[in-house]
Amino acid sequence: MFSKKFKTTAEIPEPSPRLIDQIIGQDEALEIVLSAIKNKRHALLLGDPGVGKSMMVKAVGDLVEKSTADFSPYTLLAKPNFRNSEKPIVESIDGEYKEQIEPVKTNMIKEPPSFITLIIFMLIFTIITSYITRAMPDVKLLGVVAITSIVAFALAFVIIFMTVFGAAKGQMGGGTNPLDLRPVVLYECKKRPLIRASAYNTTKLLGDIKHCPLGGKPPLGTPPHKRIILGAVHEAHKGVLYVDEIKTMPLEVQDYILSALQDKKLSISGRNPNSSGATVETNEIPCDFTLIMSGNMDDVNNLRAPLLDRIDYKIVLKNKIENNQENRDKLLQFITQEIKNNNLNPMSYEACCEIVKLAQKLAGSKDKLTLRLRLLSNIIKMASDIAEGKDIAKMIKEMDIKEEDIKEIEKNITNKKPENVSVKKIGPINIVKIFENKNKKNKTNNSNKNEMPKIEELPLTINSENKKENKDKKTKLIDVSHVKTIIDTGIYSLHKQVSIDYLKNFKRYKHISPNSPSKIGVIHGLAVLGADGMGDVTKIITEVINSKTPNTSLLNISGDLAKHSITLASALSRKLASEGKLPISTASEEDLDLDTKDIFIQFSQSYSKIDGDSATTAVCLCILSSLLKIPLKQDFAITGSLDLNGDILAIGGVNEKINAAKEYGFKRVIVPQSNMIDVIDVEGIEVIPAKTLGEIIPIVFDY
């Protein structure tokens, strides 16, 4: 299986820490991406989910950020526009910007009075007022006090208004604070950037202008040049812009990106028409970048033709590789690096072999291995969880830590806490941890005074259990049984879980009787339920009756391809029966008067959609059985597509179908000859390859 001999993955050397070395099976695509970035060409990566598109760009980005060739650091500054404040200026300067702070003249800014100054002012005002009014008659005194109170209240209101609403920025007459005239650093680029952005986030991609409820009017509002948000297209200047999930990219955003690619510069304006930033627009900002986009195969239909035409390289990533020694070793490398990167339990040799078998099944062929590595990674993680062997009761006990226990532990630690022990609360359940201070100097000086108590001496039941679990974790392996548990339950795939649930609920109600006596017009076909689903057995029944208006009636059949295929099977069976060239004895010519026959075809108890042509061979044999009144044996299930020449063609999901025939208890299963290269497991059932219809007639009819 592998070129290396080992018992567990712990014996295998650790993989390279470089991401570029951890990419598996995409050597050709990686070479093209590296060439595109080096020569500043735009690229589009297409492929199935989990084949490594994002990882490839991330790995290349590590190399890009370390590259200093043909790159000089720069800084983007935002400056106010004195002629038109709603059109701030964004300027790019080479190197690092060093702000030169000039002293601000005191007469240019009116600072609000301090609180102590206000108190002193009020005391002086009160003393002077008392001195002036001491000789006044009582009649006039009341009016003076009222007027004085009104004036004092108005003065206090003005002072509070200036303090709260920012009068310190300038004079209330419309002056501007000199601090608002200084440039603002928007972005400092010290190394060649790789900027990642999601296609649906317009602000992140193109930039925006922050909303200010007071607008940009001084002295209350925030100046427009201080509200600029750079987009990813601008931050990727002189570097690489990676846009993921292109299916979610709005069409208007594609137009902006197309403009940026063509002009190598793009202005920023407010994206929200109801915001104060809607009236703000900057000058055109440089954005000379290399664009890399990625998505699934069908996502390319969402891209505008002009933008797609601007992309130099259109790269389709592989979803499977050849099953050979070299690639199996690469898959073992992947297993090892996933265990290391996610701190999982080691995996046994047999479990690694089971992962390879699963990679074959997911690829749909014995001589292929899937490159849907994210799916394999999820299965490895879940198998590691099962290897822990924790049941529901134990997990609840670990998570349900009572508040009284926490307080007791904290109390005990506080009472016995030495200087080199610290207590920290982590998470919502306040788990207490002890951290030993490893400073050798403190340890030497305090060795006689405050010795570090052993963990066992402290009443830490929780930590003792965790310590025991960590010890046990080192000895627990991900065994083949753990991997098979994940595969059998199908928890890694929604489609498979639905299929398993369907079969559990309906299998016991289906009238499938394998290895029963031979019957006329009854045969068992094979199907696959959903993508990544399960195989199932379907009973096919045909009935031929006399009729003045002969026709072929299809029952329980949906999907145009299936209908055409069954009609083809009906025509071929009529042709073979009428010509009498079959290697079996036929009925009399009167019984084979096909001009008076109605043919009914039923997929019995078929509750799922039938949309393929893999039942063509089974239907043709079933119709022949009804026309010729010759029984079919019931110890086999069959799958295969059929053409008008009687040749049996390849179908999909052959391994799932063979497994379904095996689970139902059939002795034999007939598959197309061309599918034998895909068959993985033949244990427990006889697999018969067939090339033409004539080959299988002698082994399926009981005559």
Side-chain angles (χ1 to χ4, degrees):
M1 179 69 71
F2 306 108
S3 61
K4 301 176 182 178
K5 295 182 179 180
F6 62 95
K7 291 183 179 180
T8 71
T9 53
E11 302 172 13
I12 300 175
E14 291 187 359
S16 171
R18 296 198 312 171
L19 282 178
I20 201 75
D21 298 327
Q22 298 182 13
I23 298 174
I24 296 175
Q26 305 291 357
D27 296 339
E28 296 177 4
L30 178 60
E31 182 179 354
I32 297 174
V33 171
L34 287 172
S35 175
I37 292 178
K38 182 178 180 181
N39 297 296
K40 297 183 179 180
R41 304 284 186 264
H42 309 304
L44 173 63
L45 304 179
L46 298 173
D48 294 340
V51 296
K53 301 184 291 291
S54 299
M55 183 178 181
M56 182 181 299
V57 175
K58 186 177 180 181
V60 173
D62 290 345
L63 300 179
V64 169
E65 292 178 349
K66 295 176 183 177
S67 174
T68 57
D70 301 328
F71 176 79
S72 56
Y74 66 92
T75 303
L76 290 180
L77 300 178
K79 299 180 178 180
N81 188 342
F82 298 109
R83 295 183 178 180
N84 188 347
S85 61
E86 297 298 305
K87 292 186 178 295
I89 301 171
V90 177
E91 180 182 353
S92 176
I93 63 172
D94 295 332
E96 183 180 356
Y97 173 72
K98 295 182 179 179
E99 185 177 8
Q100 297 179 355
I101 302 177
E102 298 180 358
V104 180
K105 296 180 180 180
T106 55
N107 59 354
M108 296 180 63
I109 301 178
K110 291 189 176 181
E111 294 287 345
S114 65
F115 182 74
I116 297 176
T117 304
L118 291 176
I119 295 297
I120 295 174
F121 176 79
M122 295 301 294
L123 289 175
I124 296 174
F125 180 78
T126 303
I127 294 172
I128 295 175
T129 305
S130 300
Y131 178 78
I132 295 175
T133 58
R134 60 187 174 84
M136 282 187 178
D138 295 341
V139 178
K140 295 183 180 180
L141 182 61
L142 182 61
V144 173
V145 171
I147 294 174
T148 304
S149 301
I150 294 174
V151 173
F153 177 78
L155 180 62
F157 175 79
V158 171
I159 294 174
I160 293 174
F161 181 84
M162 293 175 61
T163 304
V164 174
F165 290 95
K169 292 184 177 180
Q171 300 176 5
M172 291 299 294
T176 301
N177 185 354
L179 297 177
D180 287 340
L181 304 180
R182 292 175 180 170
V184 177
V185 177
L186 296 179
Y187 182 57
E188 287 185 347
C189 187
K190 299 180 180 180
K191 57 184 179 180
R192 191 183 301 276
L194 172 77
I195 306 299
R196 303 182 61 173
S198 299
Y200 61 84
N201 195 331
T202 305
T203 297
K204 173 64 178 175
L205 269 174
L206 306 176
D208 201 351
I209 305 296
K210 292 180 182 178
H211 172 67
C212 180
L214 300 176
K217 299 297 182 182
L220 302 182
T222 304
H225 75 286
K226 288 189 174 183
R227 295 190 278 133
I228 299 174
I229 302 175
L230 279 185
V233 294
H234 307 102
E235 294 178 357
H237 181 54
K238 295 185 179 182
V240 179
L241 172 63
Y242 173 52
V243 181
D244 197 5
E245 302 299 340
I246 58 175
K247 188 174 184 177
T248 60
M249 183 183 294
L251 297 180
E252 62 271 15
V253 174
Q254 297 184 35
D255 293 336
Y256 282 109
I257 291 182
L258 179 61
S259 299
L261 294 179
Q262 291 174 337
D263 303 334
K264 301 186 185 304
K265 51 188 177 181
L266 187 70
S267 60
I268 297 177
S269 59
R271 303 292 166 193
N272 187 352
N274 298 321
S275 168
S276 64
T279 59
V280 179
E281 183 178 9
T282 70
N283 59 307
E284 292 184 325
I285 305 172
C287 53
D288 184 7
F289 56 86
T290 300
L291 175 65
I292 297 181
M293 298 191 295
S294 69
N296 300 331
M297 286 298 299
D298 57 342
D299 294 350
V300 70
N301 299 324
N302 192 54
L303 293 180
R304 287 190 184 275
L307 177 59
L308 186 61
D309 189 56
R310 274 278 173 182
I311 306 299
D312 303 293
Y313 292 98
K314 287 90 172 175
I315 309 167
V316 179
L317 274 68
K318 297 178 181 178
N319 60 1
K320 58 184 72 173
I321 52 177
E322 297 295 327
N323 181 13
N324 53 38
Q325 186 74 68
E326 179 184 359
N327 289 333
R328 286 195 297 271
D329 287 343
K330 289 182 179 179
L331 194 57
L332 177 61
Q333 170 198 330
F334 168 77
I335 295 172
T336 306
Q337 70 191 30
E338 285 301 301
I339 290 174
K340 177 182 180 296
N341 295 340
N342 296 283
N343 193 26
L344 305 178
N345 294 308
M347 181 176 284
S348 67
Y349 175 86
E350 293 77 12
C352 293
C353 294
E354 191 64 28
I355 294 293
V356 173
K357 290 181 182 178
L358 177 61
Q360 290 177 302
K361 292 180 181 179
L362 293 175
S365 178
K366 177 175 61 178
D367 60 346
K368 298 288 184 181
L369 297 173
T370 186
L371 282 176
R372 295 171 61 189
L373 300 180
R374 186 186 302 148
L375 179 58
L376 293 181
S377 174
N378 293 339
I379 293 172
I380 294 171
K381 294 173 186 176
M382 289 185 285
S384 178
D385 295 339
I386 293 180
E388 292 292 327
K390 297 179 181 178
D391 57 14
I392 295 178
K394 190 172 183 180
M395 287 188 286
I396 292 176
K397 182 179 178 182
E398 290 178 352
M399 299 174 68
D400 186 20
I401 302 177
K402 297 180 180 179
E403 187 176 354
E404 295 79 9
D405 297 336
I406 297 296
K407 291 182 178 179
E408 183 66 23
I409 293 171
E410 291 178 347
K411 180 180 178 181
N412 291 328
I413 293 180
T414 304
N415 295 336
K416 297 186 178 183
K417 176 183 171 184
E419 293 182 358
N420 54 353
V421 175
S422 60
V423 179
K424 293 187 178 181
K425 295 182 180 181
I426 302 177
I429 57 176
N430 294 334
I431 298 179
V432 178
K433 290 189 176 181
I434 298 180
F435 297 86
E436 181 179 357
N437 187 344
K438 296 184 178 180
N439 190 301
K440 295 181 179 179
K441 183 177 180 180
N442 291 340
K443 186 174 180 181
T444 304
N445 295 337
N446 299 328
S447 58
N448 297 326
K449 298 180 181 179
N450 294 320
E451 292 187 359
M452 176 68 182
K454 295 181 179 180
I455 298 296
E456 291 79 359
E457 295 177 359
L458 297 175
L460 300 178
T461 307
I462 299 173
N463 285 346
S464 300
E465 290 180 358
N466 290 340
K467 183 179 179 182
K468 183 178 180 181
E469 288 176 8
N470 292 334
K471 184 177 180 180
D472 294 341
K473 182 177 180 180
K474 297 179 181 179
T475 60
K476 291 179 180 178
L477 295 178
I478 304 175
D479 202 357
V480 62
S481 61
H482 305 137
V483 178
K484 285 185 176 180
T485 300
I486 299 298
I487 297 173
D488 294 341
T489 55
I491 56 178
Y492 62 90
S493 169
L494 294 176
H495 293 289
K496 189 163 185 177
Q497 288 182 72
V498 172
S499 302
I500 291 173
D501 184 63
Y502 167 80
L503 293 177
K504 275 185 179 180
N505 292 331
F506 292 100
K507 184 177 180 180
R508 58 180 178 170
Y509 300 115
K510 297 182 72 171
H511 297 288
I512 305 294
S513 302
N515 311 314
S516 59
S518 303
K519 298 177 183 177
I520 294 176
V522 177
I523 198 170
H524 296 96
L526 295 166
V528 177
L529 305 179
D532 296 332
M534 300 282 291
D536 193 21
V537 175
T538 302
K539 180 189 285 189
I540 302 173
I541 303 173
T542 60
E543 189 69 35
V544 178
I545 62 175
N546 294 323
S547 174
K548 293 182 180 180
T549 57
N551 192 14
T552 299
S553 300
L554 311 180
L555 307 178
N556 290 7
I557 299 174
S558 58
D560 293 336
L561 179 58
K563 292 178 180 178
H564 294 321
S565 301
I566 304 305
T567 304
L568 180 150
S570 175
L572 181 60
S573 59
R574 288 171 181 267
K575 174 178 177 291
L576 294 173
S578 62
E579 291 178 352
K581 296 180 180 180
L582 296 172
I584 53 178
S585 58
T586 60
S588 62
E589 292 184 1
E590 294 180 0
D591 295 336
L592 289 178
D593 185 8
L594 301 180
D595 293 335
T596 62
K597 303 295 183 183
D598 248 352
I599 300 177
F600 290 87
I601 305 169
Q602 180 190 23
F603 282 66
S604 178
Q605 292 182 300
S606 177
Y607 305 111
S608 59
K609 182 179 179 181
I610 298 174
D611 54 6
D613 61 346
S614 62
T616 317
T617 304
V619 171
C620 185
L621 291 171
C622 198
I623 294 174
L624 287 173
S625 174
S626 296
L627 287 173
L628 304 178
K629 294 182 173 57
I630 301 176
L632 284 163
K633 298 177 182 179
Q634 301 296 300
D635 65 339
F636 73 94
I638 185 171
T639 182
S641 179
L642 200 64
D643 64 11
L644 282 173
N645 293 324
D647 295 327
I648 300 177
L649 310 177
I651 45 83
V654 64
N655 292 294
E656 289 82 0
K657 293 176 179 178
I658 291 175
N659 189 61
K662 189 189 307 182
E663 288 185 357
Y664 273 89
F666 287 93
K667 294 180 180 179
R668 303 180 296 169
V669 60
I670 301 174
V671 301
Q673 172 73 47
S674 52
N675 276 120
M676 287 304 294
I677 59 173
D678 301 325
V679 177
I680 298 173
D681 185 12
V682 297
E683 185 180 355
I685 194 170
E686 181 185 358
V687 180
I688 302 173
K691 193 173 183 180
T692 63
L693 189 66
E695 292 179 8
I696 58 176
I697 285 178
I699 61 177
V700 299
F701 282 103
D702 189 5
Y703 63 93

